[in-house]
Amino acid sequence: MEDLRYPLGRFAPKGSALTAEERVDLIGGIAALPRELRAAAAGLTDERLDVPYREGGWSTRQIAHHIADSHINAFVRFKLGLTEDTPTIKPYDQEKWAALGDVQLSRLEASLSLLDGLHERWVGLLRAMTPQDFGRRVAHPELGEIDLDFLVSLYGWHGSHHVAQIMALRQRQGW
């Protein structure tokens, strides 16, 4: 049976430095994410926005707000990684964040608009980085020391992963 949690497969880090072409592709995916998420959620009623993409999973509403939360953290992690020597970055409990009141009470457009501006800034930062910048490291309490190449790979996958969850739900439901 297909694992509905990972329609694109689990994140698999490369294990070595990315090539310039791989970075360009990943950054292009990050740049496209706000548009792709808008398209994935387009036309869904409030009732449909609240349907979980799988049993025990998040709804499209929760996924969209989670992407905004996650990518805010990602942008800050890149800024810290570029301006400090191996800073410790703070993890957060994404399940608890997805259950907070703002997720149910905020319009989807709030996170979609936030992602538009955030990704404009973040992609600008990523495109301005040098190959050496991508080798800079951060300390993640759960993952250990990781470089910014790892993070660009992770977040390039992350947005596409969640859009694929929404699109798979729409396909299964015939929306």
Side-chain angles (χ1 to χ4, degrees), residues 42-57:
L44 294 179
T45 63
D46 276 339
E47 293 77 25
R48 287 181 176 176
L49 285 172
D50 291 327
V51 173
Y53 78 94
R54 65 171 178 87
E55 186 176 330

PDB file of all heavy atoms in Angstrom, residues 42-57:
ATOM      1  N   ALA A  42      -6.458  26.106  -4.538  1.00  0.00           N
ATOM      2  CA  ALA A  42      -7.433  26.944  -5.256  1.00  0.00           C
ATOM      3  C   ALA A  42      -8.810  26.294  -5.314  1.00  0.00           C
ATOM      4  O   ALA A  42      -8.939  25.111  -5.633  1.00  0.00           O
ATOM      5  CB  ALA A  42      -6.932  27.235  -6.673  1.00  0.00           C
ATOM      6  N   GLY A  43      -9.816  27.089  -4.997  1.00  0.00           N
ATOM      7  CA  GLY A  43     -11.198  26.655  -5.138  1.00  0.00           C
ATOM      8  C   GLY A  43     -11.706  25.743  -4.043  1.00  0.00           C
ATOM      9  O   GLY A  43     -12.867  25.327  -4.095  1.00  0.00           O
ATOM     10  N   LEU A  44     -10.892  25.413  -3.054  1.00  0.00           N
ATOM     11  CA  LEU A  44     -11.361  24.548  -1.984  1.00  0.00           C
ATOM     12  C   LEU A  44     -12.232  25.336  -1.007  1.00  0.00           C
ATOM     13  O   LEU A  44     -11.859  26.429  -0.583  1.00  0.00           O
ATOM     14  CB  LEU A  44     -10.188  23.907  -1.238  1.00  0.00           C
ATOM     15  CG  LEU A  44      -9.337  22.926  -2.030  1.00  0.00           C
ATOM     16  CD1 LEU A  44      -8.187  22.396  -1.172  1.00  0.00           C
ATOM     17  CD2 LEU A  44     -10.182  21.773  -2.552  1.00  0.00           C
ATOM     18  N   THR A  45     -13.368  24.787  -0.676  1.00  0.00           N
ATOM     19  CA  THR A  45     -14.258  25.401   0.310  1.00  0.00           C
ATOM     20  C   THR A  45     -13.652  25.233   1.700  1.00  0.00           C
ATOM     21  O   THR A  45     -12.732  24.425   1.902  1.00  0.00           O
ATOM     22  CB  THR A  45     -15.632  24.717   0.283  1.00  0.00           C
ATOM     23  OG1 THR A  45     -15.447  23.339   0.664  1.00  0.00           O
ATOM     24  CG2 THR A  45     -16.293  24.815  -1.088  1.00  0.00           C
ATOM     25  N   ASP A  46     -14.191  25.956   2.672  1.00  0.00           N
ATOM     26  CA  ASP A  46     -13.718  25.794   4.049  1.00  0.00           C
ATOM     27  C   ASP A  46     -13.848  24.345   4.507  1.00  0.00           C
ATOM     28  O   ASP A  46     -12.962  23.828   5.189  1.00  0.00           O
ATOM     29  CB  ASP A  46     -14.489  26.712   5.006  1.00  0.00           C
ATOM     30  CG  ASP A  46     -13.924  28.118   5.042  1.00  0.00           C
ATOM     31  OD1 ASP A  46     -12.745  28.310   4.675  1.00  0.00           O
ATOM     32  OD2 ASP A  46     -14.656  29.030   5.447  1.00  0.00           O
ATOM     33  N   GLU A  47     -14.935  23.700   4.114  1.00  0.00           N
ATOM     34  CA  GLU A  47     -15.126  22.303   4.513  1.00  0.00           C
ATOM     35  C   GLU A  47     -14.028  21.421   3.915  1.00  0.00           C
ATOM     36  O   GLU A  47     -13.483  20.546   4.598  1.00  0.00           O
ATOM     37  CB  GLU A  47     -16.505  21.799   4.068  1.00  0.00           C
ATOM     38  CG  GLU A  47     -17.664  22.460   4.786  1.00  0.00           C
ATOM     39  CD  GLU A  47     -17.977  23.879   4.293  1.00  0.00           C
ATOM     40  OE1 GLU A  47     -17.666  24.220   3.121  1.00  0.00           O
ATOM     41  OE2 GLU A  47     -18.507  24.665   5.108  1.00  0.00           O
ATOM     42  N   ARG A  48     -13.710  21.640   2.667  1.00  0.00           N
ATOM     43  CA  ARG A  48     -12.666  20.830   2.027  1.00  0.00           C
ATOM     44  C   ARG A  48     -11.279  21.173   2.556  1.00  0.00           C
ATOM     45  O   ARG A  48     -10.414  20.295   2.636  1.00  0.00           O
ATOM     46  CB  ARG A  48     -12.729  20.985   0.510  1.00  0.00           C
ATOM     47  CG  ARG A  48     -13.931  20.267  -0.078  1.00  0.00           C
ATOM     48  CD  ARG A  48     -13.998  20.371  -1.564  1.00  0.00           C
ATOM     49  NE  ARG A  48     -15.118  19.579  -2.066  1.00  0.00           N
ATOM     50  CZ  ARG A  48     -15.484  19.530  -3.329  1.00  0.00           C
ATOM     51  NH1 ARG A  48     -14.802  20.211  -4.252  1.00  0.00           N
ATOM     52  NH2 ARG A  48     -16.511  18.793  -3.692  1.00  0.00           N
ATOM     53  N   LEU A  49     -11.048  22.427   2.915  1.00  0.00           N
ATOM     54  CA  LEU A  49      -9.756  22.803   3.494  1.00  0.00           C
ATOM     55  C   LEU A  49      -9.496  22.078   4.807  1.00  0.00           C
ATOM     56  O   LEU A  49      -8.352  21.918   5.222  1.00  0.00           O
ATOM     57  CB  LEU A  49      -9.690  24.317   3.732  1.00  0.00           C
ATOM     58  CG  LEU A  49      -9.506  25.189   2.506  1.00  0.00           C
ATOM     59  CD1 LEU A  49      -9.660  26.661   2.873  1.00  0.00           C
ATOM     60  CD2 LEU A  49      -8.157  24.935   1.846  1.00  0.00           C
ATOM     61  N   ASP A  50     -10.569  21.629   5.453  1.00  0.00           N
ATOM     62  CA  ASP A  50     -10.438  20.975   6.752  1.00  0.00           C
ATOM     63  C   ASP A  50     -10.443  19.447   6.682  1.00  0.00           C
ATOM     64  O   ASP A  50     -10.417  18.778   7.711  1.00  0.00           O
ATOM     65  CB  ASP A  50     -11.530  21.478   7.705  1.00  0.00           C
ATOM     66  CG  ASP A  50     -11.294  22.926   8.094  1.00  0.00           C
ATOM     67  OD1 ASP A  50     -10.117  23.339   8.191  1.00  0.00           O
ATOM     68  OD2 ASP A  50     -12.278  23.662   8.278  1.00  0.00           O
ATOM     69  N   VAL A  51     -10.439  18.883   5.480  1.00  0.00           N
ATOM     70  CA  VAL A  51     -10.369  17.428   5.320  1.00  0.00           C
ATOM     71  C   VAL A  51      -8.908  16.997   5.410  1.00  0.00           C
ATOM     72  O   VAL A  51      -8.067  17.502   4.662  1.00  0.00           O
ATOM     73  CB  VAL A  51     -10.975  16.989   3.955  1.00  0.00           C
ATOM     74  CG1 VAL A  51     -10.751  15.509   3.713  1.00  0.00           C
ATOM     75  CG2 VAL A  51     -12.453  17.353   3.887  1.00  0.00           C
ATOM     76  N   PRO A  52      -8.594  16.073   6.313  1.00  0.00           N
ATOM     77  CA  PRO A  52      -7.202  15.594   6.398  1.00  0.00           C
ATOM     78  C   PRO A  52      -6.783  14.888   5.109  1.00  0.00           C
ATOM     79  O   PRO A  52      -7.580  14.200   4.485  1.00  0.00           O
ATOM     80  CB  PRO A  52      -7.219  14.610   7.569  1.00  0.00           C
ATOM     81  CG  PRO A  52      -8.489  14.857   8.295  1.00  0.00           C
ATOM     82  CD  PRO A  52      -9.455  15.437   7.313  1.00  0.00           C
ATOM     83  N   TYR A  53      -5.527  15.046   4.746  1.00  0.00           N
ATOM     84  CA  TYR A  53      -5.044  14.409   3.518  1.00  0.00           C
ATOM     85  C   TYR A  53      -4.920  12.889   3.682  1.00  0.00           C
ATOM     86  O   TYR A  53      -4.843  12.159   2.700  1.00  0.00           O
ATOM     87  CB  TYR A  53      -3.712  15.017   3.051  1.00  0.00           C
ATOM     88  CG  TYR A  53      -2.503  14.530   3.809  1.00  0.00           C
ATOM     89  CD1 TYR A  53      -1.755  13.455   3.344  1.00  0.00           C
ATOM     90  CD2 TYR A  53      -2.117  15.130   5.000  1.00  0.00           C
ATOM     91  CE1 TYR A  53      -0.655  12.988   4.046  1.00  0.00           C
ATOM     92  CE2 TYR A  53      -1.028  14.678   5.702  1.00  0.00           C
ATOM     93  CZ  TYR A  53      -0.303  13.611   5.234  1.00  0.00           C
ATOM     94  OH  TYR A  53       0.780  13.146   5.929  1.00  0.00           O
ATOM     95  N   ARG A  54      -4.912  12.422   4.926  1.00  0.00           N
ATOM     96  CA  ARG A  54      -4.925  10.990   5.237  1.00  0.00           C
ATOM     97  C   ARG A  54      -5.475  10.859   6.647  1.00  0.00           C
ATOM     98  O   ARG A  54      -5.524  11.833   7.406  1.00  0.00           O
ATOM     99  CB  ARG A  54      -3.533  10.363   5.141  1.00  0.00           C
ATOM    100  CG  ARG A  54      -2.566  10.902   6.181  1.00  0.00           C
ATOM    101  CD  ARG A  54      -1.251  10.125   6.232  1.00  0.00           C
ATOM    102  NE  ARG A  54      -0.350  10.712   7.198  1.00  0.00           N
ATOM    103  CZ  ARG A  54      -0.321  10.415   8.496  1.00  0.00           C
ATOM    104  NH1 ARG A  54      -1.149   9.521   9.008  1.00  0.00           N
ATOM    105  NH2 ARG A  54       0.530  11.017   9.308  1.00  0.00           N
ATOM    106  N   GLU A  55      -5.885   9.658   7.008  1.00  0.00           N
ATOM    107  CA  GLU A  55      -6.364   9.426   8.362  1.00  0.00           C
ATOM    108  C   GLU A  55      -5.264   9.774   9.361  1.00  0.00           C
ATOM    109  O   GLU A  55      -4.119   9.324   9.223  1.00  0.00           O
ATOM    110  CB  GLU A  55      -6.772   7.959   8.543  1.00  0.00           C
ATOM    111  CG  GLU A  55      -7.424   7.694   9.884  1.00  0.00           C
ATOM    112  CD  GLU A  55      -7.920   6.270  10.033  1.00  0.00           C
ATOM    113  OE1 GLU A  55      -8.291   5.650   9.025  1.00  0.00           O
ATOM    114  OE2 GLU A  55      -7.923   5.791  11.185  1.00  0.00           O
ATOM    115  N   GLY A  56      -5.595  10.619  10.319  1.00  0.00           N
ATOM    116  CA  GLY A  56      -4.622  11.044  11.316  1.00  0.00           C
ATOM    117  C   GLY A  56      -3.666  12.118  10.832  1.00  0.00           C
ATOM    118  O   GLY A  56      -2.776  12.535  11.569  1.00  0.00           O
ATOM    119  N   GLY A  57      -3.839  12.585   9.598  1.00  0.00           N
ATOM    120  CA  GLY A  57      -2.948  13.603   9.031  1.00  0.00           C
ATOM    121  C   GLY A  57      -3.536  14.997   9.134  1.00  0.00           C
ATOM    122  O   GLY A  57      -4.648  15.197   9.625  1.00  0.00           O
TER     123      GLY A  57
END
